[in-house]
Amino acid sequence: MTIILVFLAVVVAGAASVTVSAQQPRLAALGVLVAMAGSAYIADPLPDLVAIVARLTGAVLAGYLIWVSLREAEAPTAGWQIGWPGAAAIAVAAFVIGWLAATALGGDLATVAGEGPSATGVATALADGSLVPRAGIGAAAALIALGAAPVLIARDVLRLGSGLLLLLSAADLVRHALVAEPDRVVELGMAVVVAISGAAVAGLVHGSLKHYGDLVIRPGTGQRFAIRHRSADEAHPRRARPDLAE
Amino acid sequence: MTPLVALLVIGSLGAAGSAWGLSRGERAARLTATGGVIALILVAVLALALDGSPGTQGQPVDQSLFAGRLAPNGYLRLVVALWAIDALLITAVAAISDGLDGMRGVLPATLIAIVGGTLAFAARDLTLAAAAAGITGLAAMVVLAAATGPGVVIAGARELRVSLLVPALLIGVAAAAPVAASIVLRGVTAGADQIGIGDEAGGALGLLALASAIVIAMRYGVIPFHVRVPRLADAVPRLSLPLLLAWIPLPVAVVGLAITDRVITPLALPLDGERSIVVVVVLISLAATALGAFFQDDLRHAMGYVVIADGSFALLGIAAFDSEAWGPARTWLVIVAVSKTALLAWSAVAEARFQTRSIPDLRGWVRGSPILAAALVVTTAATFGIPGWRAFTARADLASLAVDTPWSWLLMVAGLATLPTYLRLLVLGAGTATSTVSRATPERIARAWRPEVLPIERERTSAASTRGEVAATAASEAGRATEEVAHDTGGHDGEGGEPDDRSADRTPPPDAAPIETTGPEGATGRRTADRAAAATRRAVDRAHRLAVAIRRDRAILTASAVLALAIVAALTSSGALGIAAAATEPTVIVSTQSSD
């Protein structure tokens, strides 16, 4: 099972690369769906069956809503200018860094494990040397590295939304790696969060297509209502001047 | 079903129903809007019915859910009740001002946000609380989905960025902070050879505290995250701003403070560098947003900057790194929410009545709007408080706990930096009225003379037809009379630029309403069906007359609602509602590793 979960972490990082580099909007949506769904299961021990089903449902619902919202999107989009090889290279580098950082953290936890007041209940799998949380943190690092650019310098709403969903999945991976064991209620909550987040991204994509016919973010389009200058009240005298009255 | 479950279910159903129905219009919109308002009322009642007694560590309390992972508490009870009451008043203003259109987006988003906030306040697990608080921000997307205009997409993109970054960061911090804290504790326990590892973890905890502060800053729009706020203010309906700017950041801020208070503060780490960074950001934000608000000519933008200034003060709750700051910080957050709700509602009503967002064009607004002026004065008092009020005490406590004198005095003075903006609005309002203000509907009730109409029985006319004709005659007479009076006074409604309803209305006045037909009903042989139809007609007539009266008097009604919001804010600010006791409740966490 450990090998499968480590492989799943690699798949998640690969899906994130596809998400940010794809020029076909629906391919990007597929990538983010795989990343969201996969990141729910990279945990040691695995969540229980109810939590697994809930997380899968939440991820699929989110991905489906984004998929549907892209029905009228014109392909292709700009994608990431560095292309999929660049994205893959960033993902591999971040994955390795994350893995090494997790190994160091696990070593620290194992070194200072003692009789202290916090001797139990924190990142037990990581402290025990399990490969799953290391792979999880590696995948989280890859998702953060790939998702940060579209979020900070967003050019279209799909890339922005995909980047945000990748960051949310990264937070989920970190959580799974650092908790003692997955909690069913929290997993249910995260399933709802993922589904609602996907719905929000789909709503924004739909709104962009509806208003502009494409996915491009146009800065400055919201400023026309703002009051920029002081108005001259003298142009609107309170009482009409007698000489102008008819 | 416990009150907490009922609250969550009713709030969710009300949100879903009103979101669906209000977008469809016509009968569905009316029905679901009514349902949404009823849901809001029930939420307020259920919130007050919650068990407010704080639970003890590790023990589920009554009315809890999921084996104690969600449990009511006094803070939840007070905050959700205040939120629902404020939302009811805002919804009333929206309905009176803009009808069903005004409620579209605002009503479902409010209900969704209240449900999310309830989950965040009730959660005894940091991750659960972080997820719920963060996702509450997505209620803004509901408002934006119902809005139209060129700025909706860009504002939506900015809002989505904040709304999803916040939960991602909070969840990450909530997961990582207990691990770092654990390493610090174990390092200290294990001995001197492990102190180096503990120091590294201590540094990591400082960064996580900064991340918590960044999350709160992002949600409130504290500098340098302020650009989002004016763009959002431009894009959304004016009456949604209290929800988006004042209430939605509250759960996020409470959870961010909880992470710091629960995990980082007890370790008593030397985090002076982190404290300095946060305090400097607060000072810059207070000064810059206060200046921006004062010199800003756009009413919405100015109010947005005022909210940012007050919201940034809450960051001092993190900068203090002191468990004593927990109560004042949570008190301050509620005071910000209720007082800014009143301020933003004042702004929305003023904008609607005077048909302008330009502050210079509002000169003289006080003269025709004494109730609105009173609301602004009370709101100002609620914001700054007087010595002895909770608002004043919380502000002073946060400043003194974050830094020593004389810096705490500087923070106190900077906290008052938005006062000139309030004074500007009041002083400007006392000046000579601009034409924009002059042509708006005044608040005072200047009812037109209404003719007294007596029932007239004409020969060879049945009772039924007599009823209709008399009513028509009454309507015609009343309409003609009011039209003449309105024409003489030059009455003009500023809201929407339409002629005054008093002149446009052709319905009979209330005193001519229940016109009795002549002759005993039994004698006319009217059947039961006729009586039922007549009763229905009378009920519809009364409802129509009430709607006309509300629309006619909407200036005074909306101003009164704003005054009510201001009074709620003042009561909260003074401490009369028991906010201090509720806010100082300890965080109770039963199911996360941070509880050890």
Side-chain angles (χ1 to χ4, degrees):
Chain A
M1 182 57 77
T2 299
I3 297 301
I4 294 173
L5 293 177
V6 171
F7 178 71
L8 184 58
V10 175
V11 169
V12 165
S17 305
V18 171
T19 300
V20 297
S21 60
Q23 294 187 333
Q24 298 291 331
R26 289 202 160 182
L27 190 56
L30 194 62
V32 82
L33 167 61
V34 172
M36 283 189 300
S39 62
Y41 307 118
I42 304 171
D44 186 12
L46 271 173
D48 64 9
L49 187 61
V50 174
I52 286 175
V53 172
R55 293 303 305 267
L56 186 63
T57 306
V60 169
L61 183 58
Y64 174 73
L65 290 172
I66 298 171
W67 181 276
V68 169
S69 71
L70 289 168
R71 190 178 293 160
E72 295 175 5
E74 293 181 6
T77 63
W80 204 1
Q81 290 180 346
I82 63 172
W84 70 265
I90 289 174
V92 169
F95 192 97
V96 171
I97 291 170
W99 182 288
L100 294 175
T103 305
L105 180 61
D108 285 352
L109 283 167
T111 302
V112 297
E115 299 295 324
S118 298
T120 59
V122 174
T124 46
L126 195 60
D128 292 343
S130 170
L131 294 180
V132 176
R134 297 179 192 192
I137 291 182
L143 264 57
I144 291 170
L146 292 169
V151 169
L152 295 175
I153 316 166
R155 289 179 296 164
D156 69 59
V157 290
L158 178 62
R159 283 170 53 75
L160 170 68
S162 304
L164 288 166
L165 292 174
L166 291 183
L167 293 183
L168 197 60
S169 300
D172 198 25
L173 284 166
V174 170
R175 181 181 65 82
H176 273 149
L178 297 183
V179 297
E181 58 180 306
D183 183 272
R184 179 191 287 185
V185 178
V186 176
E187 294 300 323
L188 287 173
M190 285 303 298
V192 174
V193 167
V194 167
I196 293 176
S197 303
V201 173
L204 186 64
V205 167
H206 174 73
S208 181
L209 290 171
K210 180 180 160 189
H211 283 98
Y212 301 123
D214 57 31
L215 300 171
V216 179
I217 294 175
R218 295 172 174 79
T221 48
Q223 301 173 14
R224 67 178 61 177
F225 299 117
I227 306 296
R228 292 290 175 209
H229 306 289
R230 288 173 185 271
S231 60
D233 187 54
E234 288 70 25
H236 306 283
R238 189 179 177 213
R239 294 187 181 84
R241 287 165 53 189
D243 55 334
L244 294 180
E246 293 183 3
Chain B
M1 184 181 286
T2 64
L4 183 58
V5 176
L7 192 157
L8 296 173
V9 170
I10 290 172
S12 303
L13 290 177
S18 55
W20 172 80
L22 282 167
S23 62
R24 297 179 70 87
E26 299 295 332
R27 184 180 173 82
R30 284 196 297 274
L31 284 175
T32 52
T34 307
V37 170
I38 292 171
L40 260 182
I41 294 170
L42 290 175
V43 164
V45 171
L46 289 167
L48 291 172
L50 288 173
D51 179 11
S53 58
T56 53
Q57 186 71 50
Q59 291 180 350
V61 297
D62 293 340
Q63 301 182 3
S64 65
L65 292 176
F66 298 120
R69 286 179 180 79
L70 294 174
N73 52 68
Y75 192 70
L76 161 67
R77 180 174 181 267
L78 182 61
V79 172
V80 174
L82 280 172
W83 195 345
I85 290 168
D86 272 12
L88 272 172
L89 289 166
I90 291 287
T91 306
V93 173
I96 293 169
S97 297
D98 304 318
L100 291 173
D101 281 346
M103 300 165 75
R104 185 180 304 145
V106 178
L107 183 58
T110 302
L111 284 163
I112 291 169
I114 288 178
V115 169
T118 303
L119 287 171
F121 296 134
R124 296 176 141 203
D125 180 289
L126 281 181
T127 305
L128 206 55
I135 219 68
T136 301
L138 285 175
M141 301 304 290
V142 177
V143 175
L144 284 161
T148 55
V152 168
V153 174
I154 182 70
R158 291 176 189 275
E159 202 59 31
L160 183 73
R161 182 183 288 132
V162 170
S163 298
L164 291 188
L165 272 180
V166 163
L169 272 171
L170 271 181
I171 290 168
V173 171
V179 176
S182 175
I183 292 175
V184 170
L185 276 177
R186 292 185 204 182
V188 171
T189 309
D193 55 331
Q194 304 299 343
I195 285 179
I197 295 175
D199 286 346
E200 290 173 9
L205 276 175
L207 289 177
L208 293 172
L210 282 181
S212 294
I214 286 173
V215 165
I216 299 173
M218 284 172 65
R219 196 65 261 185
Y220 271 112
V222 173
I223 289 176
F225 304 106
H226 61 287
V227 178
R228 173 182 66 90
V229 174
R231 302 291 168 267
L232 184 67
D234 286 340
V236 297
R238 52 184 174 262
L239 280 164
S240 64
L241 288 176
L243 170 69
L244 302 183
L245 300 184
W247 282 105
I248 282 181
L250 176 58
V252 170
V254 168
V255 175
L257 285 168
I259 293 172
T260 309
D261 178 76
R262 184 68 201 161
V263 183
I264 301 173
T265 298
L267 299 174
L269 295 170
L271 298 173
D272 292 333
E274 288 80 359
R275 174 183 290 119
S276 303
I277 291 171
V278 175
V279 169
V280 167
V281 167
V282 170
L283 271 173
I284 291 173
S285 194
L286 283 171
T289 51
L291 280 173
F294 185 76
F295 289 109
Q296 180 61 251
D297 284 343
D298 188 305
L299 187 61
R300 289 195 197 184
H301 291 193
M303 297 302 102
Y305 290 139
V306 170
V307 177
I308 293 172
D310 284 347
S312 64
F313 216 79
L315 290 176
L316 296 178
I318 287 183
F321 293 116
D322 188 331
S323 58
E324 293 295 316
W326 171 246
R330 293 211 305 173
T331 302
W332 178 251
L333 288 171
V334 180
I335 289 168
V336 169
V338 291
S339 63
K340 293 315 134 230
T341 297
L343 181 68
L344 292 164
W346 171 88
S347 160
V349 168
E351 182 187 333
R353 184 179 303 167
F354 303 114
Q355 288 293 294
T356 181
R357 283 171 55 179
S358 169
I359 292 177
D361 283 351
L362 286 176
R363 199 178 65 214
W365 69 270
V366 167
R367 299 185 172 208
S369 314
I371 299 176
L372 212 52
L376 185 58
V377 171
V378 176
T379 302
T380 308
T383 299
F384 298 99
I386 55 176
W389 280 26
R390 291 299 166 193
F392 194 89
T393 312
R395 194 193 293 267
D397 287 349
L398 283 174
S400 60
L401 288 168
V403 285
D404 297 328
T405 51
W407 296 105
S408 60
W409 284 101
L410 182 62
L411 277 173
M412 279 291 289
V413 171
L416 302 175
T418 52
L419 183 58
T421 303
Y422 292 85
L423 296 179
R424 178 194 178 196
L425 292 170
L426 288 168
V427 170
L428 191 83
T432 308
T434 62
S435 58
T436 307
V437 170
S438 297
R439 70 168 180 257
T441 309
E443 275 176 8
R444 64 180 181 277
I445 305 172
R447 294 194 183 282
W449 173 80
R450 296 178 184 188
E452 185 174 345
V453 180
L454 298 173
I456 300 168
E457 184 183 4
R458 294 196 306 191
E459 292 181 357
R460 291 191 299 276
T461 306
S462 69
S465 63
T466 302
R467 164 185 290 276
E469 288 179 12
V470 168
T473 307
S476 173
E477 291 291 333
R480 200 157 42 241
T482 38
E483 186 177 12
E484 287 167 6
V485 172
H487 179 72
D488 291 343
T489 55
H492 183 270
D493 186 1
E495 297 179 30
E498 297 170 354
D500 196 319
D501 286 336
R502 283 171 293 194
S503 60
D505 180 26
R506 295 292 183 273
T507 55
D511 51 359
I515 302 167
E516 295 299 332
T517 55
T518 57
E521 292 186 359
T524 59
R526 183 177 296 169
R527 292 176 305 174
T528 308
D530 289 341
R531 283 202 296 275
T536 306
R537 207 161 45 237
R538 277 199 298 274
V540 171
D541 195 37
R542 281 195 199 101
H544 176 67
R545 227 175 285 132
L546 177 66
V548 168
I550 288 173
R551 189 157 175 76
R552 179 190 63 216
D553 295 333
R554 62 179 179 266
I556 194 167
L557 288 173
T558 52
S560 302
V562 176
L563 181 59
L565 284 167
I567 290 171
V568 170
L571 287 173
T572 309
S573 176
S574 67
L577 302 181
I579 181 65
T584 47
E585 282 178 3
T587 44
V588 183
I589 298 171
V590 294
S591 60
T592 190
Q593 57 270 35
S594 63
S595 61
D596 54 4

